[in-house]
Amino acid sequence: MELWPCLAAALLLLLLLVQLSRAAEFYAKVALYCALCFAMSVMASPVCLLRHGGRTVENMSIISWFLRSFKYFYGLRFKVRDQHRLQEARPCVIVSNHQSILDMMGLMEVLPKRCVQIAKRELLFLGPVGLIMYLGGVVFINRQRSSTAMSVMANLGERMVRENVPIVPVVYSSFSSFYNTKKKLFTSGTVTVQVLEAIPTSGLTVADVPALVDTCHRAMRTTFLHISKTPQENGATAGPGVQPAQ
């Protein structure tokens, strides 16, 4: 009978080591991602300066090439559907769902040429990472100063009205089957990237913005729930309870 407490203690210790091992692997992979971003920024910055001489959206093709290589370090695959919807010769606004630090890899898979991105101003001060974003023509918004952020978005809105710029939603399937911060899970997997049909904005006014946002959100939510039910490379599914991120 005295053997059972020892076996129970050994089992608990084994479970603890497994959990610690998973957590260690998770943090190691996150640290590697940050290190890759830093290294990529250091290597890509002089290339951008030599190729285009300074800050320009043309540098984003160089940055995209570096970022797309990250997936090979993690065993990630991106299946892009209907990418041709982003290749049409007309300006558009791309809206995508946000889940984690891995979003950027998915975005680089579909990023069209001469695409200007918008990011929070805090990222500008991340050393080489901020520098490469600046060189890539990223527009930084100070979220602490709502007037500045609203001015940038207002200019975008005016251009949308002036040039009849449609909104093209891009939806990434759930990462939860291979990336989960609460469970400290970070393994290989497959992400489905679905490019939706363009949502026209021609003839709309400021009063139509709430309805436009709702239309975009509903289309993206429905697509997210649908493509996240598809079995992933590791055999798991996101499940019906998964909710799309902001």
Side-chain angles (χ1 to χ4, degrees), residues 85-86 88 90-94 112 115 156 160 165-168 198:
R85 292 171 175 168
L86 287 173
E88 298 182 21
R90 47 98 170 100
C92 68
V93 175
I94 301 174
C115 180
L156 175 60
M160 288 174 61
V165 180
I167 295 175
V168 180

Side-chain angles (χ1 to χ4, degrees), residues 17-33 73-74 178-179 183-188:
L17 290 175
V18 169
Q19 291 299 319
L20 289 176
S21 176
R22 173 183 285 185
E25 180 183 9
F26 174 84
Y27 287 116
K29 288 187 174 181
V30 171
L32 174 61
Y33 184 85
F73 290 89
Y74 296 98
F178 62 87
Y179 181 87
K183 296 180 179 180
K184 299 299 180 286
L185 175 67
F186 198 164
T187 62
S188 60

